[in-house]
Amino acid sequence: MKLETSILEDQGRVWVRGAIEGVDLSALDRACEIGAVPGGRLEWNADLIAAAGVESQLTRIARDLVPGAFPVRILAFNKTSEMNWSVPWHQDRVIAVKERHDLAGYSAWTRKAGIWHVEPPVELLEEMFFARIHLDDSDGSNGCLQVGLGTQKFGRIAAKDVLEVAEQAEVEDSVAKRGDVLFVKALTLHRSSPSQQSSSRRTLRIDYSARPLPAPLEWALREQTKSDTNT
C-alpha cells in the first residue's frame, strides 16, 4: 500500500473502501450497541478483539500504512435525531493513559469518564492517526466528518489560527458506505455538522500509535496478547 501511505502523509487522510465486511462488521455492530451517544469509550471485548484487535484485518491494514501501529483508544459515535451534535474545526491532541505521571512535554491533564487524558509532545501526535469505521452509510445529510486536506502539515495549530487554516484548505466530505474505513492523521483538521436525518449514523473510531509511551506512562487501552501473558 505504498501509494496509500504517500496519500496519508500528503493529504492527511486515505480511504480504504469496503475494508470491513461479513462477520467483522457484525462483531462491530454488537460492540457498538451503546445507544445514541457522542464518543462513548469502549473497552476490549471478544467482538472488538476479533474485528479490531492486533491480529485483525483492520490492524493489518493500519500496519500497511504505518508499520508497527497498534490501537490505543476506541470510541463509538451514534448520531441520531434524538442525540445530535456538531463539532467545530479542531485537531485531536490528547491521548488516554492509565495513570497520571508528570513528565516533561506532557501537559493539560484532564480526567474524562474516569480516564486520564494528556496532550503529549507534538512529535508523538505527528505519528499518530485514527480510523473511522462506518457502520452506516454517511454523507452530508447525516452529519458526516469533514476533513481539511493537508492541514496536518501545519503541526500543532494555535486555537486562534484554526479557522484561518481550515478556510484555506480543500474540504472533503467523508461520504462513505457501510464497511468503508477512513484513516486520518491525528493533526488533520476535521469537523462535523448535525444530522438532518432520523436514522442512525454509527461510526467506530480507533486511535493508533506505533510506539509505547515513555515510562512510567502507559496507554489506557492496550490489548493483552499471548506474548504479553508469557512474559
Side-chain angles (χ1 to χ4, degrees):
M1 297 182 67
K2 184 176 181 180
L3 175 61
E4 286 78 1
T5 300
S6 66
I7 293 173
L8 179 64
E9 294 301 323
D10 181 58
Q11 299 189 352
R13 67 90 184 93
V14 65
W15 284 97
V16 183
R17 301 290 183 180
I20 308 298
E21 55 187 3
V23 295
D24 284 347
L25 265 180
S26 297
L28 293 178
D29 285 336
R30 292 191 298 272
C32 293
E33 290 176 353
I34 58 174
V37 297
R41 287 162 175 78
L42 303 183
E43 299 292 337
W44 288 117
N45 58 36
D47 286 324
L48 280 176
I49 289 173
V54 294
E55 301 299 328
S56 67
Q57 170 68 11
L58 180 64
T59 299
R60 287 194 289 272
I61 295 172
R63 287 177 172 170
D64 282 338
L65 293 169
V66 178
F70 54 87
V72 297
R73 184 171 66 159
I74 303 177
L75 305 174
F77 299 87
N78 188 3
K79 190 175 287 189
T80 70
S81 56
E82 290 76 26
M83 181 64 73
N84 211 348
W85 66 87
S86 64
V87 181
W89 286 113
H90 68 285
Q91 296 176 303
D92 291 323
R93 302 201 321 219
V94 298
I95 60 173
V97 298
K98 285 187 177 180
E99 297 178 352
R100 176 171 179 167
H101 298 280
D102 293 323
L103 298 182
Y106 290 77
S107 61
W109 285 91
T110 58
R111 194 164 175 84
K112 303 175 183 177
I115 299 172
W116 281 109
H117 291 75
V118 63
E119 185 169 327
V122 70
E123 292 80 11
L124 177 62
L125 295 171
E126 288 172 340
E127 297 177 358
M128 292 185 66
F129 64 105
F130 61 86
R132 284 180 64 88
I133 302 115
H134 296 84
L135 301 179
D136 297 303
D137 293 355
S138 181
D139 59 28
S141 69
N142 61 4
C144 71
L145 192 75
Q146 291 184 304
V147 176
L149 299 181
T151 52
Q152 83 286 351
K153 296 177 182 178
F154 290 86
R156 183 186 279 115
I157 303 172
K160 65 181 180 60
D161 298 325
V162 164
L163 187 56
E164 179 181 355
V165 173
E167 288 177 341
Q168 294 177 5
E170 178 184 352
V171 176
E172 178 180 85
D173 286 353
S174 300
V175 177
K177 294 293 185 181
R178 174 172 163 83
D180 289 348
V181 177
L182 175 65
F183 291 94
V184 184
K185 298 280 286 185
L187 291 180
T188 304
L189 288 174
H190 54 283
R191 69 176 179 183
S192 69
S193 301
S195 176
Q196 302 170 28
Q197 304 294 324
S198 59
S199 57
S200 293
R201 191 226 64 182
R202 298 170 302 151
T203 307
L204 185 74
R205 168 180 161 153
I206 303 180
D207 292 359
Y208 291 91
S209 176
R211 58 169 160 149
L213 295 172
L217 287 176
E218 296 180 74
W219 296 105
L221 183 81
R222 184 73 188 267
E223 180 187 347
Q224 187 177 51
T225 64
K226 290 181 180 179
S227 61
D228 295 328
T229 59
N230 291 333
T231 59

